[in-house]
Amino acid sequence: AYRNAQDYRMLDEIDQAFDLAEKDDAVRVLITRGSNGVFSTGHDLGTEEGEAYRRSLGARPGIERYDEFKKYNLDLLLKWRNFRKPTVAMVEGYCIYAGWMLAACMDVVFASTTAEFLGGFVEYNTIPWDIGVRRAKELCFESRFISADEAARYGFVNRVLAPEDLERETRAWALRVAANFT
């Protein structure tokens, strides 16, 4: 309903999926993607469901405990970045702020020609390493979307594919890579 805005519940579920994949020797490559044609519109900025989950974790309205904030906006991303199996982000549609953060911690990024990226000076700020310091400053100061082609020219995206080819080509790549880890 919120175009894959990342609330704490979603991040916990993503982390559980990583943990399951870590323990399963049959899983050799992990693909991360959004649903309904959108990778992620970024952080959940206060949906009712997101706030209810935060409260269930002990957060008080309007107050963000540092340890929770750090866990969901840095620690989990570092954990996923250091995942021992190859990872690929399959990006279509919006990839905004926290979406960029999630894609950035994957080993490779495949994007549809429909993908639009918006990074920012946010918690897990890898943008200078993703695309270079000067380009990162330029984009963050402008706060503008970049296309998948532009993201590929800057080195953030590995492959840009037609929407109808994205899933097939991403899976084919994952299968080739998985064969190397038997």
Side-chain angles (χ1 to χ4, degrees):
Y2 303 107
R3 296 182 163 201
N4 306 314
Q6 298 175 31
D7 64 13
Y8 289 0
R9 179 187 306 272
M10 177 189 286
L11 295 170
D12 279 338
E13 290 171 354
I14 292 170
D15 191 46
Q16 290 167 5
F18 269 84
D19 288 345
L20 289 171
E22 175 72 28
K23 295 173 187 168
D24 188 342
D25 291 335
V27 175
R28 296 191 184 119
V29 177
L30 189 127
I31 298 172
T32 303
R33 70 179 304 185
S35 64
N36 298 319
V38 175
F39 187 74
S40 174
T41 55
H43 299 85
D44 180 327
L45 299 178
T47 63
E48 187 175 319
E49 297 91 340
E51 290 299 312
Y53 188 74
R54 282 185 64 243
R55 282 192 301 276
S56 77
L57 298 174
R60 293 176 286 157
I63 296 177
E64 185 81 45
R65 293 190 316 211
Y66 176 76
D67 56 343
E68 283 179 359
F69 184 83
K70 182 176 176 288
K71 172 189 174 184
Y72 290 105
N73 291 285
L74 179 62
D75 297 341
L76 288 177
L77 295 153
L78 292 172
K79 176 184 174 187
W80 303 334
R81 182 192 73 190
N82 295 320
F83 191 66
R84 71 177 179 93
K85 300 174 184 183
T87 58
V88 57
M90 186 168 66
V91 179
E92 54 189 332
Y94 290 120
C95 184
I96 301 172
Y97 291 155
W100 181 301
M101 291 164 46
L102 179 58
C105 69
M106 299 298 110
D107 294 314
V108 296
V109 178
F110 288 3
S112 165
T113 56
T114 66
E116 295 184 70
F117 297 86
L118 179 62
F121 293 118
V122 290
E123 302 79 19
Y124 177 71
N125 185 5
T126 63
I127 299 171
W129 292 271
D130 297 334
I131 64 173
V133 173
R134 298 225 185 280
R135 182 72 65 196
K137 289 178 183 181
E138 174 189 346
L139 293 179
C140 291
F141 292 158
E142 286 183 300
S143 189
R144 71 173 174 90
F145 283 94
I146 60 173
S147 68
D149 286 329
E150 192 172 3
R153 283 195 311 273
Y154 299 159
F156 184 63
V157 168
N158 297 80
R159 297 185 189 177
V160 179
L161 301 156
E164 62 272 14
D165 299 333
L166 179 64
E167 184 169 354
R168 183 186 74 247
E169 292 297 320
T170 302
R171 289 181 181 279
W173 179 87
L175 288 170
R176 287 192 305 275
V177 171
N180 292 329
F181 292 90
T182 59

